[in-house]
Each structure stands twice: as structure tokens, then as C-alpha cells.
Amino acid sequence: MKRILKLAALLAAVLLVFAACSKGADADSAPFHIGVVTGSVSQSEDDLRGAEELIKLYGDSKTGGMITHLTYPDNFMDQMDTTISQILSLADDAKLKAIIVNQAVPGTAEAFKRVREKRPDILLFAGEPHEDPPVIQEVADMAINSDFISRGYTIIWAAKQMGAKAFVHISFPRHMSYETLGLRRLIMEQACTDLGMQFIFETAPDPTSEVGVAGAQQYILEKMPQWIEKYGEETAFFCTNDAHTEPLLKQLFAYGGYFVEADLPSPLMGYPGALGLDLTAEAGDFQKILKKVEESVVAKGGAGRFGTWAYSYGFTVTAGLGEYARRILAGETQLGDKASLNDSFAKFTPGAKWASGPYVNALTGQQASNHMLVFMDTYVFGQGYLPTTAQAIDPKYYEISVNN
Amino acid sequence: MNLRSLVVKITLAVVYLVLAVWAYGAGKGYPLYIDNTDLSKPTMLSVVIDGKSPVRVREGAYTEIMVKGARKHTISLVLPSGAEYRETFRFPAGAQAAEIRVPELAPGSDPVVRPVLPRQDR
Amino acid sequence: MRNVKSFVADNIVTLIFLTITIIAIPFSGLSGSYIISNLIDRFARSSFLVFALILPIMAGMGINFAMVLGATAGQIGLIFAVDHNIMGTEGLILATLVGIPLSVGLGWFSGQVLNRARGREMVTGFILGYFMDGIYQFFGLYIMGWLIPIRTAQVMQIDGGGVRNTLALESVRGGLDKIVSLKVGPFSIPVVTFAVIAVLCLFIIWFRRTKLGQDMRAIGQEQGISHAAGINVDRTRILAIVISTVLACIGQIIYLQNLGNMFTYTSQRQAGYYAAAAILVGGATVSKASIKNVFIGVFLVHALYITTPLAGKALFKSAMVGQYMSDFINYGIIASALVLHAWKNKRAADLARAGLRMSAEAQAAAGGVA
């Protein structure tokens, strides 16, 4: 018993000493700090590059700038504890006035609730929330999803334009239990029926399970030749997980087949790895990256068969939400100003066409003013833009819900 | 097995069951809908039920709040102006869900609570 | 000098982690009040689970990795409470009432298995955890929604079959922590949770003194002699596992009501890991553990979890590397605690042998004349 007391006393003393020190050493000039939480390079590289872009623009809070960057663990499905305490640790900085989590993995809503309890003054933004829309809408000041409803139709439409006759949707139970992804799958199935294509659902291992990223990728590498053999070369493939994208592309180049765009599209999503490209020189410059990837895709005979968004979705959401938060905090705009939000996104995507709209609850018809759905035109390598954002989408797709 | 240990075992089982039944009854949650869809008097407000964290009710919205047990509850309303008032109401016994209309909530009078059918969505 | 040396050797695991923590704190740049309030929170959340490990260690069965079975039972109880819309404290009580019979059954089952795997209890328990994973998924994804109807849309998978992957526990969130929350300066202390933990401590102290507790300790020392002394070894070992499993069930419910979110099919997996790390860092060995070890361990392990990601970030100038470092430390704790434990065992054996040799030599010297 004595030892506990001794240890506790020692640790408490140490805590106090350092608490005193760390407070005193604050000598930065930024009027406020913005916390950015993203995945790591192996989970979602683009999100992280977006945070680096923000640091490039506004400086690291450690050296007098604005941005504090943290990452959530790779196996976030096992370590919700860590995700929550990482986000919560940001609220320890009294100058921190906004937190951006992209992607908002499970646990974000709980962390936001705790931040709110402690620091109601902090702006909370969630990019690509994994938790169900009503859950995140309740706690976040702004949430951004890629438009899973419209894209459920436009991806199928684009696949048909590119020449595909069948559509293979690769996913696994965890993703299908997300309302956003599960709903999009249903919409895709409906769109395939309407456009006269065959819809196939294939299951692949979850990279956050025991097999890990490597095992999940190996599975795709081994299965793809069989799938292409089975469904024919005029088949478009789509996967809901980032880690599956690279091996999928690799095998599509080798065995034929179509790829409209990734779940979270970007020229950096899967392509550099599948094509063996080194893009370090172009890092952050998406026009150059797109050009280099395109040359390589065309050289491999992939012209007209492979698509993407011209700019990275993950990168833009991290950077765009950061910019939006900075503008609000600097008093240049206020929370809820849609024009300024669009403008913040456009800052990182010159020349691209975005479509955006509020999230509508399919059951109640209510619009959520703090949840936006966005998407971009699909860029087909060796062919140019497909006007997906200009497509009129039958309202019936918006009424599809998971409960009927 | 002698009689005494049998009696003790039966008593334990009964206590266990009684506790379970009590927890089930007292803890059962019922949806209470706050109907703020009447736009003739649009107000945004925060609703606090039984001292829990406040729930924002936008103008034109139909908001669901879960309340624990079919018994007496307190509801306090916080208007954007900062004005706050508190009422008590009894959740209608036997009802699956109930609704309160914001325009019918006036300071000083008991809130009108109507039993309704629960919505079939989330 | 000798004393200091043997103190260090005896507490090497704890001291190493204490040192890492003391180094990590200033690098993390976190304020003392943040660390302390987070420690209070984590302490309330996870110490109950760690206590579940004490009895099997006492009974000489090592770390009960099969406590995952109890955690699973707790989760099934919570699924039931949430699905039936039972809120708050009552919801947690109901979840516990549902979980306890399940965990008694599962504990009895794993006790039987572990009795047939004498001497390899830890690895067997570990694999039992994986085995349970399969059964649980079968239950959650197939039996639920088919044999047992799911009543609430939030609990159901989007395609209508089985329980959702992430379950929001909003209705029972804080059902224990928030009954009485004492504000002390910037910290809020969940009084009832701590009271529950205190009661558990008293229970363990009391239990050690009962006949059953004495039997367990005797078995932990030497099974053969205990058997000869008329103790029913098999039954006592099973009881140790059953109690541990029930405690794990309650512990997991306490843990999840604090987190407010449950990954239906993965939350239980971590229970064994984290608890084992905590109790080992606290200075327990796979053959000896006390309440003190739990307190020190939970304290140190969580101080590390809080500080290492940020300390790593500050040291390596990269958020990602910081995260990796903290992962590395999390799992490294368990590995190094086990390695150090083996080293300590060897040292104890060496000491004993040296003592034996010395006394033999002394005897030889004394008897040499004759």
C-alpha cells in the first residue's frame, strides 16, 4: 500500500512540474489553433496530405503556426479508446478553436460529445463520417460526405458510358452496415436494373480484421483474374475500401475490365501503387499528378477504361474544412455560410466542377443544414471529363431507404 | 439437497427475476415527439428532459426524444432569448409514444401530452 | 545496496514503465489537469476488467485470456437492453442480469476446457477467445434477427439481418458514471463507479480469507499437495474461472457505458489484452497478483496510452510515427512484461539454487571433518 502512495505522489509531482513547464513555453503568435485528425499514410494517404497542405499554408502550431495534426490508429476498429483520447487531447490546448476529423471514424461522435461538454467554444467538423448521419449530425457543426445517393446512380451511368455491361461491387459486412455505404449499394443495384446492366455483389476481407491490409490486398490480387474470367472483360469494378483499390487496379491493367472511380476518388487513390509511379516531386500539385498518372495509364493501354476525380476527395475535404474553419475563426465568414464552404473547397481544386447539396433524410424528408453531400465530375483517362454532375437524377433514387 | 438450501436458492431466483422485471419496467424508454412544425409562430428552442443534456429543436422540425419510464417527467424549454421555463408532465400510461406540440406549451399551464403511434423509422 | 538491487529486480517491469511515462509526459506537452482528468476517466472505465484477472492468477492458472468470453456475455446483455429500449441505470442492471447467467455458463465451459489443458492455460484461453468470436458472430449475425427478433431499427443491420457492427449505446451511456458526478476543481469524479470498484476490492479481500479463497491459493502453490489435502482441485479451478468470467462481464458493461459506443464484433477482443497489460505492468506476475498491482498497473498503462502518441509526435516530428510508436508501446508492454517475467522466474530459480548450493557447501564444510 505504501508503494502505491509513493508512486502516486511521485507521478503527481512529475505531472505538476511539467504542467507548469509546458504552459510557460508557449510563445507562438497564431491567434488560434486548428486541430486536424486524419488517418495514416497506409490507411488514407490523401487525407493526411491535406493536413500537410494546411501546415504548409498556415504553419504547425508547435512552431508558431495554426495547425495541430494528429492521426488516429490504423486499426481504429479495435482502438476506439485511442481515437477518442486523441481527439479529446486537442481540447487541452486553450487556443484551439476548431477540430477537423477526416475521416470521421467510429468514435468521433463520442469524442465530439466529450469535447462539447468540456469546451463548447470549439468548432467540430467531420469529413466522411463512418457513423450514421443522424448520429454525427447531432454533434458536429458540419459534416461532409461524398454524395452517396447521387453517386449511386452516376457511377453506374458512367460505367455504361465507358462501355461496361456488368458492375461488380466489392465490399464486406462492416462497410455494408454503414448507412451511407449500404444505401449506395441499394441505389447502384436499382440503377443497374434501370440502365440494363448486371449487378454483382462480391465479398472481400475487411482490412481492419485479423488478415490486415496485406491479407485483404492479397485476396483481391488472387480473386480478380477469376472474377474477370467469370463476368467478362466488359465489367466495371468498384470497391468500398481504400486498401482494396490498389490491387484491384493492378489486376484490371493486367486482365482487362473497367474502373469508374474509387469510393473516395483521387488520382492518388491506388493508381501510383498499381502503376509503380513515383510522385514525390509532384506532391500536392494535382494537375501535374493527374497528367503523369494519365500518361502512365494510357501507356499501359488503359485509355477510356479508367476514371477518377481530377482532385483527391480526401485531400480536398481535409484542406477545405481546415480553410473553412480558419475563415470562420478569423471572422471572414460565419458558420453555415454555404458559399464560403464551397469557396473553401474550390481553393484546392481549381477548374473542377463540384455539385453539393444538403443531406436529406429519406424517411422524414428533413434536410440537415449541417450535413453536406458533395461530388465531382468523373475524369476518364485518355478521354476527358464525363459530365456526371450535370446528370438529371430521377428523384426516386432519393427515396430508396434501407428499411423497405 | 436439504430444505434450507432449497429455500435460499428459490429466494435468490425470485429476487433475480423481480429485479429484472423492475429494471425492464422502470427503465423502458418511450419516444416523445416534440412537434415544432407549426410555422405560424416559428421558434427555435432547446428542450431539456429530466435534467439531461439539452436537445435542439429547430423550427419546422419534428424531434424525437427518448424518455425513461411511463411516469412523471420534467420538461424545461430554453428559448433563444434565454427565457427558460419548466413544467412537469406525466407520460400517458399504456401509450407506445407521445407527442407534445410546442405552440401548446405555455408557461404556467400543464403541457398537453397526446398518446401517438411510434414512427416506424429510426 | 543489496536491498535496492533486489527491489529493482523485483519491480523491474513497473520501474521500466514508470521511467517511460516520466519521460513521455513532458514531451507530450499535455497539461497536468488534462492527464489527471483523463486518468480518472480511464481508471473508472477499465479497472473493473483488470480485477477479473486476479482470481485465476491466485489459483495458478495464469492470465485468464478467456475472460473475453465474459466480455462477450456482457455485450450480449447490452444488445438486449438497447434493443428493448431500456435506458440508463436500469438498462445496465438489466444487461448485467442477462449477462451473468450467460457468463456463468461460458465460464464453466472454459473452466472445463482449461482443466483439460493444465499447464497451458494461457494459450488455451487465448484460443478460446477466438473460438468464442466465431460463435458470437454466428449468434449476432444469424441467430439474432432470425430466432430472436430485433425490435429496434438502430440495432439491426442495414439489410435486416443480424446486429449492426457499431451500436450506439446512447440510451445507457453514463448510466453508472453519471448517477452521482462529483465536481472537484476541473475534474469530475464518477462516484458510483468508484464505489462499485471499492466494493469489488472488499469482495476480493474478503474472498481470499474464505475457505474457497484459501483453497485457490493452495492450488496455486501446488496442485498435487492440495489434492492430497482433500481439496477438489478441478472444481475450485472451475470456480475461479467462473468468477473471473462473471467479473469480466460486469467489467465490460462498465467499460462500454463509459465509451457510449460499441463495436459489436470487435470490442470484446481488446478486453483481455488491455487488462493483461495493466496487471503485468502493475507488477503482477502470471503466478502472483494483488489489488495493489491492479491500481499501479491501470495508472501507469493509461498514463502511457495518454502521453505516448503525442510524445512520439513531438520526438519524430510526424503525427503518424507518433501513432505507430504508441501502438508499438501498447503491444510491447505485454510482450516485454512476459519476457521480463520469464527472466524474473529464472533469477528466482538461480537465487534458490545458489542458496541451496551455499547451504550444501556450508554443510560440506561442517561435515568435511568427519
Side-chain angles (χ1 to χ4, degrees):
Chain A
M1 208 56 207
K2 248 191 202 142
R3 224 166 82 216
I4 309 183
L5 288 178
K6 264 191 218 156
L7 272 177
L10 184 57
L11 209 68
V14 170
L15 281 175
L16 287 177
V17 168
F18 288 118
C21 293
S22 60
K23 282 282 161 236
D26 224 17
D28 62 309
S29 49
F32 49 79
H33 291 162
I34 298 172
V36 182
V37 183
T38 68
S40 68
V41 163
S42 55
Q43 252 292 332
S44 46
E45 175 168 356
D46 289 8
D47 306 347
L48 178 124
R49 299 280 175 238
E52 287 176 354
E53 175 76 13
L54 284 172
I55 292 178
K56 213 159 77 192
L57 284 173
Y58 301 118
D60 192 320
S61 62
K62 275 268 177 304
T63 54
M66 283 180 191
I67 311 294
T68 309
H69 178 213
L70 292 177
T71 58
Y72 52 76
D74 271 359
N75 51 345
F76 53 81
M77 286 307 287
D78 284 342
Q79 300 194 358
M80 181 159 50
D81 255 39
T82 315
T83 309
I84 292 175
S85 74
Q86 286 282 67
I87 296 173
L88 202 57
S89 74
L90 288 168
D92 187 37
D93 175 0
K95 280 177 90 178
L96 193 114
K97 296 289 180 211
I99 294 175
I100 291 129
V101 186
N102 184 35
Q103 303 163 27
V105 295
T108 306
E110 176 64 25
F112 278 10
K113 263 179 220 160
R114 292 179 185 212
V115 172
R116 273 249 195 280
E117 275 168 22
K118 253 176 85 174
R119 294 275 311 276
D121 58 318
I122 293 182
L123 287 173
L124 302 169
F125 292 165
E128 200 60 23
H130 289 206
E131 284 154 311
D132 289 341
V135 175
I136 202 78
Q137 283 161 16
E138 203 177 297
V139 288
D141 287 305
M142 177 58 75
I144 300 278
N145 263 109
S146 81
D147 191 338
F148 53 92
I149 298 176
S150 307
R151 286 179 67 210
Y153 174 80
T154 58
I155 290 176
I156 304 295
W157 177 84
K160 194 180 163 86
Q161 300 305 307
M162 287 161 78
K165 300 231 166 21
F167 188 84
V168 176
H169 181 287
I170 303 165
S171 192
F172 42 84
R174 173 171 66 89
H175 266 180
M176 287 301 95
S177 77
Y178 293 175
E179 184 175 322
T180 49
L181 303 183
L183 194 57
R184 184 178 61 197
R185 177 229 155 133
L186 294 177
I187 295 169
M188 283 179 161
E189 209 166 341
Q190 182 63 43
C192 275
T193 318
D194 294 348
L195 294 174
M197 288 169 68
Q198 192 194 353
F199 180 90
I200 300 129
F201 184 86
E202 288 287 357
T203 304
D206 183 345
T208 66
S209 68
E210 294 91 357
V211 299
V213 170
Q217 295 190 330
Q218 188 61 31
Y219 181 88
I220 298 282
L221 281 178
E222 284 167 9
K223 272 289 186 185
M224 273 304 286
Q226 299 170 28
W227 285 339
I228 293 170
E229 169 103 33
K230 191 165 158 198
Y231 303 121
E233 279 188 30
E234 287 176 334
T235 303
F237 286 83
F238 177 80
C239 57
T240 57
N241 186 274
D242 298 354
H244 288 153
T245 312
E246 183 178 315
L248 180 70
L249 286 170
K250 209 174 202 159
Q251 299 299 62
L252 284 170
F253 281 118
Y255 295 91
Y258 294 88
F259 184 78
V260 179
E261 61 194 31
D263 179 47
L264 305 176
S266 155
L268 287 174
M269 177 64 75
Y271 284 107
L275 296 164
L277 290 178
D278 177 18
L279 295 166
T280 37
E282 288 84 5
D285 184 341
F286 276 92
Q287 276 152 345
K288 276 195 197 146
I289 290 172
L290 187 68
K291 203 165 147 255
K292 193 156 171 183
V293 172
E294 179 157 26
E295 281 165 5
S296 176
V297 169
V298 173
K300 286 235 178 183
R305 291 202 289 126
F306 290 87
T308 180
W309 286 0
Y311 294 91
S312 157
Y313 169 76
F315 175 92
T316 315
V317 169
T318 309
L321 281 177
E323 172 71 15
Y324 184 50
R326 187 200 63 79
R327 288 185 189 187
I328 294 170
L329 295 173
E332 293 166 26
T333 179
Q334 56 198 22
L335 183 63
D337 183 345
K338 297 277 149 58
S340 177
L341 178 66
N342 286 338
D343 200 43
S344 301
F345 274 63
K347 177 177 168 139
F348 300 97
T349 58
K353 271 210 187 83
W354 285 91
S356 71
Y359 171 84
V360 179
N361 186 328
L363 290 157
T364 60
Q366 272 182 33
Q367 287 194 357
S369 60
N370 61 344
H371 194 170
M372 300 291 287
L373 302 179
V374 300
F375 72 111
M376 238 173 124
D377 274 346
T378 301
Y379 185 85
V380 180
F381 291 117
Q383 204 172 339
Y385 284 104
L386 274 176
T388 49
T389 55
Q391 290 309 304
I393 297 162
D394 191 328
K396 77 173 183 190
Y397 291 111
Y398 294 92
E399 282 157 21
I400 292 180
S401 87
V402 289
N403 289 355
N404 51 25
Chain B
M1 196 189 287
N2 60 26
L3 192 68
R4 219 182 102 196
S5 82
L6 192 69
V7 168
V8 168
K9 274 178 188 159
I10 290 176
T11 319
L12 275 177
V14 168
V15 167
Y16 202 91
L17 271 178
V18 166
L19 198 59
V21 170
W22 166 79
Y24 198 99
K28 182 90 182 157
Y30 298 94
L32 174 75
Y33 303 111
I34 308 292
D35 183 351
N36 197 16
T37 48
D38 182 0
L39 288 176
S40 58
K41 273 199 296 181
T43 36
M44 196 184 105
L45 67 164
S46 291
V47 176
V48 181
I49 303 262
D50 297 335
K52 297 260 165 52
S53 48
V55 177
R56 222 174 343 158
V57 179
R58 292 199 189 82
E59 54 268 42
Y62 193 70
T63 306
E64 177 184 316
I65 302 176
M66 296 298 287
V67 298
K68 187 167 87 179
R71 52 188 173 87
K72 235 180 167 155
H73 297 282
T74 61
I75 178 170
S76 29
L77 303 175
V78 187
L79 297 171
S81 59
E84 180 180 349
Y85 57 95
R86 166 187 284 242
E87 299 286 348
T88 60
F89 69 92
R90 179 169 282 280
F91 195 89
Q96 291 288 305
E99 111 185 334
I100 289 182
R101 293 189 186 153
V102 172
E104 294 173 355
L105 278 168
S109 64
D110 278 347
V112 187
V113 186
R114 285 188 189 79
V116 291
L117 283 176
R119 280 198 302 201
Q120 282 309 306
D121 57 50
R122 31 188 332 104
Chain C
M1 197 55 214
R2 217 226 205 108
N3 256 338
V4 174
K5 227 173 166 177
S6 84
F7 175 82
V8 169
D10 283 343
N11 299 287
I12 184 81
V13 185
T14 312
L15 288 173
I16 287 179
F17 288 104
L18 183 67
T19 318
I20 301 179
T21 311
I22 292 176
I23 295 171
I25 288 170
F27 279 109
S28 72
L30 288 165
S31 71
S33 77
Y34 172 79
I35 297 180
I36 291 170
S37 73
N38 220 320
L39 271 178
I40 293 172
D41 190 37
R42 283 161 170 261
F43 199 93
R45 184 196 301 164
S46 51
S47 46
F48 202 102
L49 272 174
V50 184
F51 279 112
L53 291 176
I54 288 189
L55 289 187
I57 292 180
M58 230 167 80
M61 303 176 78
I63 289 164
N64 179 22
F65 282 108
M67 72 185 275
V68 171
L69 274 68
T72 312
Q75 289 179 197
I76 293 176
L78 277 174
I79 293 173
F80 180 82
V82 171
D83 189 33
H84 284 250
N85 243 323
I86 313 300
M87 299 170 72
T89 318
E90 288 89 340
L92 294 179
I93 292 174
L94 191 72
T96 315
L97 292 177
V98 172
I100 284 178
L102 282 175
S103 48
V104 168
L106 289 169
W108 180 82
F109 164 73
S110 62
Q112 290 286 354
V113 173
L114 295 183
N115 266 347
R116 284 166 174 72
R118 274 212 173 73
R120 292 176 299 276
E121 283 95 347
M122 280 203 274
V123 70
T124 311
F126 209 77
I127 298 303
L128 263 181
Y130 280 113
F131 168 70
M132 187 60 201
D133 249 22
I135 304 228
Y136 178 50
Q137 286 189 14
F138 176 73
F139 173 82
L141 289 169
Y142 190 66
I143 303 280
M144 290 286 293
W146 173 59
L147 275 181
I148 306 171
I150 300 176
R151 303 155 58 110
T152 313
Q154 286 100 310
V155 176
M156 199 156 35
Q157 287 267 27
I158 219 138
D159 56 6
V163 180
R164 242 173 224 243
N165 236 296
T166 2
L167 198 59
L169 300 178
E170 187 54 42
S171 56
V172 291
R173 178 172 179 260
L176 189 64
D177 290 346
K178 294 196 176 152
I179 299 176
V180 183
S181 184
L182 194 67
K183 278 256 167 218
V184 180
F187 315 118
S188 57
I189 298 166
V191 180
V192 182
T193 315
F194 280 123
V196 169
I197 293 168
V199 168
L200 178 64
C201 288
L202 291 177
F203 167 77
I204 287 174
I205 292 170
W206 168 79
F207 185 82
R208 280 165 177 273
R209 297 199 182 134
T210 59
K211 166 83 172 59
L212 191 57
Q214 298 285 1
D215 287 357
M216 275 182 200
R217 281 156 75 177
I219 292 171
Q221 298 287 324
E222 175 55 61
Q223 289 188 28
I225 295 173
S226 310
H227 182 72
I231 298 172
N232 186 341
V233 176
D234 281 4
R235 182 173 162 275
T236 312
R237 280 163 53 102
I238 290 176
L239 278 175
I241 294 293
V242 167
I243 297 175
S244 165
T245 313
V246 170
L247 291 180
C249 160
I250 303 173
Q252 184 75 352
I253 291 173
I254 295 180
Y255 176 84
L256 289 170
Q257 61 88 26
N258 177 291
L259 273 190
N261 248 317
M262 171 170 120
F263 295 145
T264 314
Y265 303 107
T266 54
S267 278
Q268 81 280 5
R269 282 187 203 158
Q270 295 290 309
Y273 262 154
Y274 281 118
I279 203 163
L280 289 173
V281 167
T285 65
V286 290
S287 56
K288 198 166 138 287
S290 64
I291 294 174
K292 174 181 74 185
N293 299 137
V294 175
F295 280 108
I296 299 176
V298 172
F299 199 61
L300 274 182
V301 158
H302 285 288
L304 263 183
Y305 288 165
I306 296 165
T307 50
T308 42
L310 293 163
K313 184 194 166 196
L315 277 175
F316 298 105
K317 307 272 178 269
S318 153
M320 198 171 58
V321 180
Q323 189 56 52
Y324 287 149
M325 186 177 113
S326 113
D327 271 359
F328 157 76
I329 287 184
N330 288 357
Y331 291 107
I333 285 175
I334 304 178
S336 52
L338 288 174
V339 169
L340 287 168
H341 166 71
W343 173 77
K344 252 164 83 171
N345 263 359
K346 189 170 167 290
R347 178 172 161 276
D350 285 351
L351 275 181
R353 206 175 304 135
L356 217 64
R357 194 180 304 135
M358 250 153 69
S359 63
E361 273 165 12
Q363 241 169 24
V369 193

